[in-house]
Amino acid sequence: MFILPAIDIHKGQCVRLVQGDYATAAKVAEDPLETAKKFESAGAKWIHMVDLDGAKAGYPVNTEIYRNIAENTNLKVEVGGGIRSMETIRAYLDLGISRVILGSAALKNPQLVADAIAEFGSEKIVVGIDAKNEMVATEGWLETSDVHYIDLAHKMVAMGVRYLIFTDISKDGTLSGVNAQQLAALAKATAGQCNIIASGGVHTMEDIFICRDMGLYGTICGKSIYQGTLDLAEAIAASRTLTIRPMQITDYAALYELWVACGNGLNNLDDSEEGVAKYLRRNPNTSFVAEENGKVVGAVLAGHDGRRGFIQHMAVDAARRRRGIGSKLVTVCLDAMKQEGIHKVALVAFKRNQTGNAFWEQQGFTVREDLNYRNLALCDMIRFDPE
């Protein structure tokens, strides 16, 4: 799980609000860039930023602050507030912003969300769903709709959104704890379809544990960091629950269960316990499992013949998809292939489908229409070490 420290900007200052009320704005830090650098030193990879002036005005106001942080830190920056057009999204991404947050537009102009996903991809767009008494609020939380937050989430997922930030306004800035009930309902309603980022009410490590154990993608922390009720470095350390380790034959029962659940093509010879044991003896250093809280939640079975590498199976638990586990597994696998002197890798026994092809293309593979194996897709990827 990612911990995303937050910096909200109002009149050029780092502030925090209570329940979205601008009248409660209180300065919490002197300089946005220096604050971001402190977060980076604590181990943060992402930073969550909101243009409060932009949210009220309907257009970006504090753009230069976000540009400065994107250019002068290694943090991935996600920004929201006043983003209402494709031009604004494009301008932010051109500044080096990693992810743009669409809030009010998701409800009032869903076509903008669809267009943004189509042009910039689902990794660049996150939808913020802010709710008051479970109903979606818009325009910097100044207006409340009659749309239930889970209904809007379902609509966004159907449009291709893969990242959702959920904020219970009644909790925001109060240090009263996350709304575990509403977060759990949202996570269940969208299981395996998108990444959920919790926002609002984080107070102590207990809130981090709640979000982590719920399997959320991320948790945004603001006031708790500034007031010292939460240590950012400790929270980041506690959030690291996923480990990638070499595959062992003792993992076989969990692997088979995972493969069946994911609908992988299986056969009695290669995918039997004996077949996998033989595979691992022949190539002991190129297959890996992802483990979370003692449970195998993903795996990649791969080997090589001394000339070309082969990825036989890659699967991620359905409830944990969209969290980057597949990409982590493939990256570790390909790095291991390079250590074995292998620079060309093919996929075998992978069915052609739009979602799967998109994933492999993101990893650098190219689907070749002229190759077939048992009516399944065979893909090629060539990578060379810089040396």
Side-chain angles (χ1 to χ4, degrees):
M1 182 178 75
F2 287 103
I3 302 296
L4 297 88
I7 298 180
D8 292 351
I9 303 297
H10 180 45
K11 298 180 180 179
Q13 301 291 319
C14 302
V15 305
R16 296 301 293 169
L17 308 182
V18 176
Q19 296 181 352
D21 184 354
Y22 283 67
T24 66
K27 186 177 178 180
V28 293
E30 287 298 325
D31 181 77
L33 178 58
E34 291 306 312
T35 302
K37 287 182 176 180
K38 289 179 182 177
F39 292 158
E40 185 178 14
S41 296
K45 302 299 182 185
W46 281 89
I47 187 168
H48 172 85
M49 305 193 71
V50 176
D51 186 344
L52 294 174
D53 303 305
K56 183 180 286 189
Y59 54 84
V61 176
N62 297 289
T63 308
E64 287 305 309
I65 292 175
Y66 311 126
R67 179 211 293 268
N68 197 21
I69 291 174
E71 289 182 348
N72 294 288
T73 72
N74 292 315
L75 291 166
K76 294 180 179 180
V77 182
E78 67 174 24
V79 174
I83 302 173
R84 306 284 195 272
S85 70
M86 292 289 284
E87 291 73 23
T88 301
I89 297 171
R90 187 177 296 106
Y92 267 130
L93 295 179
D94 288 345
L95 290 180
I97 301 303
S98 297
R99 230 163 28 203
V100 170
I101 306 167
L102 299 179
S104 300
L107 183 65
K108 296 192 171 185
N109 185 11
Q111 188 59 49
L112 175 63
V113 178
D115 291 344
I117 293 289
E119 181 164 340
F120 305 113
S122 59
E123 292 299 312
K124 296 293 185 180
I125 305 298
V126 57
V127 166
I129 297 180
D130 308 320
K132 189 172 185 179
N133 298 321
E134 301 191 10
M135 297 300 166
V136 178
T138 61
E139 304 303 330
W141 301 350
L142 300 176
E143 299 178 11
T144 302
S145 73
D146 58 357
V147 178
H148 193 270
Y149 76 101
I150 289 182
D151 291 336
L152 181 58
H154 280 148
K155 184 176 181 179
M156 292 298 103
V157 168
M159 294 173 65
V161 172
R162 294 296 173 254
Y163 294 89
L164 292 174
I165 298 173
F166 175 70
T167 305
D168 174 8
I169 296 174
S170 69
K171 293 282 189 177
D172 190 71
T174 64
L175 300 179
S176 60
V178 297
N179 191 324
Q181 183 177 359
Q182 289 182 17
L183 283 167
L186 181 61
K188 181 178 180 180
T190 62
Q193 298 175 294
C194 68
N195 297 302
I196 305 298
I197 302 171
S199 175
V202 173
H203 184 206
T204 66
M205 287 296 295
E206 182 61 29
D207 295 300
I208 302 301
F209 297 145
I210 289 171
C211 294
R212 180 197 68 186
D213 295 344
M214 205 180 293
L216 301 188
Y217 168 85
T219 302
I220 294 169
C221 308
K223 200 171 191 176
S224 57
I225 297 174
Y226 296 114
Q227 294 198 357
T229 63
L230 183 75
D231 181 87
L232 178 58
E234 183 182 359
I236 290 170
S239 68
R240 294 178 181 139
T241 58
L242 187 76
T243 58
I244 307 291
R245 61 168 176 79
M247 184 183 295
Q248 307 293 330
I249 191 57
T250 51
D251 296 315
Y252 179 74
L255 292 174
Y256 193 82
E257 181 180 346
L258 181 66
W259 289 335
V260 170
C262 289
N264 283 25
L266 302 173
N267 62 69
N268 293 332
L269 180 61
D270 296 336
D271 302 312
S272 65
E273 186 168 2
E274 295 77 13
V276 173
K278 184 178 178 180
Y279 205 97
L280 293 178
R281 284 195 299 271
R282 188 168 62 244
N283 297 118
N285 303 316
T286 54
S287 296
F288 299 87
V289 297
E291 196 171 56
E292 190 171 55
N293 296 326
K295 175 181 173 62
V296 172
V297 297
V300 57
L301 180 65
H304 66 88
D305 61 7
R307 298 175 299 107
R308 175 184 289 200
F310 302 95
I311 296 180
Q312 185 73 28
H313 282 298
M314 204 288 290
V316 175
D317 179 272
R320 291 170 172 83
R321 291 174 189 164
R322 312 293 183 190
R323 290 174 52 190
I325 295 175
S327 295
K328 290 183 176 71
L329 282 164
V330 172
T331 297
V332 172
C333 175
L334 294 177
D335 285 345
M337 291 283 192
K338 287 182 180 180
Q339 294 300 315
E340 302 269 310
I342 303 300
H343 301 278
K344 190 172 185 180
V345 179
L347 310 178
V348 297
F350 283 81
K351 295 180 179 178
R352 293 181 185 275
N353 64 81
Q354 186 174 0
T355 301
N357 286 355
F359 170 82
W360 288 109
E361 287 170 355
Q362 288 173 3
Q363 311 309 311
F365 285 74
T366 301
V367 177
R368 290 180 55 180
E369 298 293 337
D370 60 320
L371 297 176
N372 272 286
Y373 175 71
R374 297 178 186 170
N375 296 319
L376 302 172
L378 187 64
C379 307
D380 270 351
M381 183 199 73
I382 300 176
R383 291 186 179 180
F384 296 98
D385 287 324
E387 301 173 359

